[in-house]
Amino acid sequence: MTRIAVFPGSFDPITLGHMHIIKAGLTVFDRIIIAIGQNSNKQGYFPLEQRIHWLEAIYADESRVSIQSYTGLTVDFCRTQQAHFILRGLRSAADFEYESVIAQTNRTLNADVETVFILTDPQYAHISSTIVKEVHRHGGDISKLVPGQIIDSIK
Ligand code: ADP
């Protein structure tokens, strides 16, 4: 059985923290689908097309990683992709509290999909897309928080 995992999130924008989780995830899964959840009530800070474009550029040479956007329930998206795993990253106990509620709910919605957590490397534990957006909004330097492709493209 091919082990396919969906890594769902906003990726607004992708950070070095996300990339660490994807790299570690590739040691466990055969394929990872980075899935950008679209929320009609919530516009992103960076446009969806831009976020997809960055992800495609970053993973252009990694055939085991693909990029998609989706609407609706993550477990329903998993079903359409024949993915039996949801990959999520953990930075802290607060992340665990939040993530465990979502994972338990997803299990009740679809028992065929298992959520797998990977702990972040401590050097990335303080990084979130929210912090990146805040620093960027105020003209600060985000080069230690996001991949170089993003820095090059927003220069
Ligand atoms: P969401 O809006 O669903 O939280 P994000 O794009 O912010 O989407 O995050 C997607 C996933 O990546 C989540 O599991 C989140 O915990 C994880 N993540 C975000 N930042 C980091 C980080 N610095 N280290 C490890 N995991 C992270």
Side-chain angles (χ1 to χ4, degrees):
M1 183 184 86
T2 309
R3 289 176 167 262
I4 304 172
V6 164
F7 185 33
S10 317
F11 304 99
D12 189 21
I14 184 168
T15 69
L16 297 179
H18 293 130
M19 288 183 71
H20 168 74
I21 299 300
I22 293 162
K23 189 173 175 202
L26 285 173
T27 67
V28 180
F29 301 110
D30 300 308
R31 283 182 49 210
I32 294 177
I33 301 165
I34 304 175
I36 305 185
Q38 276 182 270
N39 183 340
S40 46
N41 300 323
K42 208 174 108 188
Q43 268 304 105
Y45 178 74
F46 293 107
L48 176 67
E49 297 310 320
Q50 173 73 84
R51 285 181 265 157
I52 293 174
H53 179 76
W54 280 330
L55 287 164
E56 286 176 345
I58 291 163
Y59 290 104
D61 295 329
E62 181 46 85
S63 59
R64 295 194 295 146
V65 174
S66 57
I67 327 297
Q68 296 217 33
S69 63
Y70 72 103
T71 53
L73 295 174
T74 304
V75 287
D76 290 343
F77 177 71
C78 289
R79 206 178 270 125
T80 68
Q81 303 298 310
Q82 280 96 46
H84 289 284
F85 304 95
I86 292 174
L87 173 62
R88 295 288 285 178
L90 290 180
R91 287 162 290 197
S92 62
D95 267 2
F96 176 76
E97 295 273 324
Y98 172 76
E99 294 288 343
S100 59
V101 172
I102 298 175
Q104 298 286 16
T105 306
N106 282 336
R107 182 177 280 159
T108 63
L109 292 171
N110 185 343
D112 293 335
V113 177
E114 197 62 46
T115 302
V116 175
F117 298 105
I118 291 182
L119 267 186
T120 191
D121 192 285
Q123 64 177 313
Y124 304 126
H126 64 291
I127 301 178
S128 67
S129 297
T130 305
I131 289 290
V132 170
K133 285 178 271 197
E134 209 49 31
V135 174
H136 182 259
R137 189 177 284 125
H138 297 289
D141 177 14
I142 56 170
S143 62
K144 293 196 174 71
L145 308 173
V146 299
Q149 289 92 334
I150 293 187
I151 304 297
D152 294 344
S153 108
I154 60 179
K155 250 179 199 158

